[in-house]
Amino acid sequence: MTWKLQAISAELAGQEISIDRDMLVGRHQAADIVLQSSEISRKHAAFLRVEDALWLQDLASSNGTFVNDARITEQVLLKDGDIVQFASLKFSLLAPVADVAIDSDLAQSVEAAVESPAQHMNDQGMPSLKERDASVELTRDGMPTNVGVPKPAPIPQGVDVSQATPEPKPVPVEVPESRVEQVQEQQKNTMVGLMTVIAIIILAVLAFVFFK
């Protein structure tokens, strides 16, 4: 069981310290509860656990240890709500809360009140007899008899069922031009163009030679 110290002084506001064993209070770093203030002695006081009870003892501190504004000179038994003070630093003491045992009779009554839906079913998964309509008779297999089956709605006169869903029209699919044919055509055009250029060059050379 753990006791709690909640800081009251403004400089320690919001701090909470757990006390679950014998603990030394002081300014020294070796203390279990370190209070960094010049008015706190290196070994100021000590919390002592005796079974579930908590005691506080001053260790000859310079500025004193107080319980409910009264300076202590020997061990003092603490209780819930006490104001514990080291020099000018004040804390509120909170006693541990004992675990509350759950009454077994209450737990059983709650469990009985919450019924599972499966409790209203028989072995075949059918509702129990008390949940059924008294006018419905059952077979040996537990199936209801004389239960009307709803009929489908009649088809209006003049409606041709065969034409209700039109057949989908075929969608023309474009056949992509072959890539090979495109390349061959480009190569052919390139060759023709090249031969034309060569012929023009030859004619120009001959003309230059004859007419020079």
Side-chain angles (χ1 to χ4, degrees):
M1 301 177 70
T2 303
W3 292 71
K4 298 286 186 180
L5 274 181
Q6 289 185 342
I8 298 176
S9 301
E11 56 268 41
L12 299 176
Q15 292 191 19
E16 185 176 277
I17 302 171
S18 299
I19 304 174
D20 54 1
R21 53 187 171 82
D22 293 350
M23 301 183 74
L24 175 66
V25 181
R27 192 177 73 250
H28 195 275
Q29 294 299 324
D32 300 298
I33 302 175
V34 180
L35 301 177
Q36 295 291 356
S37 175
S38 58
E39 58 185 351
I40 299 296
S41 301
R42 291 168 61 84
K43 295 182 179 181
H44 196 100
F47 286 104
L48 306 175
R49 292 294 304 271
V50 180
E51 295 181 352
D52 292 336
L54 182 65
W55 296 74
L56 179 61
Q57 179 180 2
D58 181 72
L59 300 179
S61 62
S62 300
N63 296 304
T65 302
F66 303 81
V67 175
N68 298 326
D69 295 328
R71 186 164 183 169
I72 64 174
T73 56
E74 55 186 20
Q75 292 184 11
V76 174
L77 178 63
L78 301 175
K79 62 182 183 299
D80 183 43
D82 282 345
I83 303 300
V84 178
Q85 180 178 344
F86 308 103
S88 63
L89 303 180
K90 290 186 177 183
F91 298 83
S92 176
L93 183 66
L94 300 179
V97 179
D99 296 334
V100 179
I102 300 177
D103 186 4
S104 58
D105 294 338
L106 177 61
Q108 292 177 0
S109 61
V110 171
E111 182 179 358
V114 183
E115 296 182 357
S116 171
Q119 295 176 356
H120 296 283
M121 298 291 179
N122 58 18
D123 295 339
Q124 289 77 30
M126 300 294 295
S128 60
L129 291 176
K130 66 179 181 180
E131 299 295 332
R132 301 191 189 115
D133 191 342
S135 62
V136 178
E137 298 181 359
L138 302 179
T139 64
R140 292 182 178 180
D141 298 330
M143 299 300 295
T145 60
N146 300 327
V147 178
V149 179
K151 298 180 179 180
I155 300 174
Q157 294 182 357
V159 177
D160 189 356
V161 179
S162 62
Q163 300 298 326
T165 305
E167 296 181 358
K169 297 180 179 180
V171 178
V173 179
E174 296 182 0
V175 179
E177 186 178 355
S178 174
R179 181 65 177 171
V180 176
E181 295 179 358
Q182 292 180 358
V183 173
Q184 290 177 351
E185 184 68 23
Q186 290 177 357
Q187 290 178 350
K188 181 179 178 181
N189 294 336
T190 302
M191 184 62 68
V192 172
L194 181 60
M195 295 298 294
T196 302
V197 172
I198 293 174
I200 293 173
I201 293 173
I202 293 173
L203 292 175
V205 171
L206 293 176
F208 176 77
V209 172
F210 286 108
F211 293 101
K212 182 177 178 181

